[in-house]
Amino acid sequence: MTGPGASPPAGGSVSRTRIVLADDHALFRETLGDLLNAQPTLTVVGHAADGAEVVRCVAAAQPDVLLLDLHMPHSHGANTVRDIIRASPRTRILCLSAYAESYLVDEVLAAGARGFLHKGIDRAALLTAIERSLTEPRRLTVLVPGGTAARVPLEEPLSRREHQVLVGAASAKSNRQIADWLDITEGTVKRHLNSVFRKLGAVSRLDAVNKAVRASLIPAPAIPVAAARRSPGRRLAPETAADPAFHLSDGGGTP
């Protein structure tokens, strides 16, 4: 749970942020530890290489911040985040991943993580995210390719199924097409859309998609909204029907 790169809190008047690193790749973990320990206000107090170990390590160390790789052995994403929060409620969890699927981001943030960081970010962005997790505790930091640096959480995060239905709406699918795509009933699609409308404060499909794009919940459609609204009857070709970055049309206030 501890290892090379871990160091005790500094004495004197300097308050150092205590960090635990969790990643199953030892070289990445140790290199990141060296980078963080080189900062005068940071200190690495523990390492973990799998999901079970990180829960034990955080429970023992009670760090200020945990950098958590989401794809370690014995780690289960949002469930691991919840286990860690139970072990150390004050620890700010920043999730690390080489992937950036929107549903994964939403799941770990809904579970209580304070940020989602793609492993392709640079040193300055990482240090800023660590600092923000402590100085702006109500903000969620999301750093992904083509994404945003920070977003304000929804009062009620979207469920994975609601997110999928919203992606379908953004790709101009009808309720029937979304139902066939997800293998659910059309009535279930309508219920999910109504829930999405309520959570986003939206009054129509178009409004919901636009608000979701602004909140970085889904990617922006490739075709501008105005262009899509000028051609509401346009049919989707099979190769574009499943593309979440295709065009959208406003179906009005009815899901």
Side-chain angles (χ1 to χ4, degrees):
M1 287 185 285
T2 59
S7 60
S13 59
V14 177
S15 176
R16 303 185 76 184
T17 298
R18 303 172 69 252
I19 300 173
V20 164
L21 303 178
D23 194 289
D24 59 324
H25 293 93
L27 180 60
F28 176 84
R29 194 171 63 243
E30 292 169 9
T31 300
L32 184 56
D34 290 342
L35 183 155
L36 297 175
N37 278 323
Q39 309 307 309
T41 60
L42 305 178
T43 181
V44 176
V45 296
H47 295 269
D50 64 48
E53 187 179 20
V54 68
V55 175
R56 294 193 299 269
C57 183
V58 169
Q62 297 289 303
D64 301 303
V65 175
L66 166 67
L67 297 180
L68 173 67
D69 175 35
L70 290 175
H71 306 288
M72 299 184 297
H74 312 299
S75 181
H76 305 286
N79 288 337
T80 299
V81 170
R82 295 187 188 97
D83 290 342
I84 292 165
I85 290 172
R86 283 192 289 269
S88 180
R90 62 178 292 274
T91 297
R92 313 290 189 190
I93 303 172
L94 298 177
C95 296
L96 302 173
S97 178
Y99 308 98
E101 291 92 341
S102 295
Y103 79 86
L104 180 61
V105 177
D106 291 333
E107 282 184 352
V108 296
L109 296 184
R114 306 314 300 166
F116 185 101
L117 313 178
H118 189 269
K119 285 188 173 181
I121 65 173
D122 61 23
R123 169 182 170 277
L126 173 63
L127 296 177
T128 297
I130 292 171
E131 179 182 11
R132 176 179 285 134
S133 72
L134 297 168
T135 60
E136 301 178 61
R138 287 191 57 79
R139 293 190 70 85
L140 303 180
T141 297
V142 179
L143 294 172
V144 296
T148 182
R151 79 193 202 203
V152 178
L154 297 174
E155 291 296 325
E156 293 182 73
L158 299 181
S159 70
R160 181 172 184 175
R161 183 65 85 190
E162 288 167 351
H163 182 270
Q164 291 172 328
V165 169
L166 183 59
V167 168
S171 62
K173 288 181 172 66
S174 67
N175 288 349
R176 169 52 58 190
Q177 288 173 317
I178 295 172
D180 291 343
W181 176 45
L182 298 177
D183 195 24
I184 56 179
T185 68
E186 193 170 352
T188 300
V189 172
K190 291 180 179 180
R191 286 194 295 274
H192 284 311
L193 281 174
N194 279 324
S195 181
V196 168
F197 284 11
R198 177 179 57 81
K199 291 180 178 182
L200 295 178
V203 296
S204 70
R205 291 165 69 102
L206 178 58
D207 188 32
V209 170
N210 286 339
K211 287 183 174 180
V213 168
R214 286 195 295 271
S216 298
L217 298 176
I218 60 174
I223 297 178
V225 173
R229 294 182 71 181
R230 285 196 297 269
S231 56
R234 180 175 179 179
R235 296 179 62 84
L236 296 178
E239 65 271 18
T240 60
D243 182 0
F246 197 60
H247 74 278
L248 54 106
S249 60
D250 190 355
T254 302

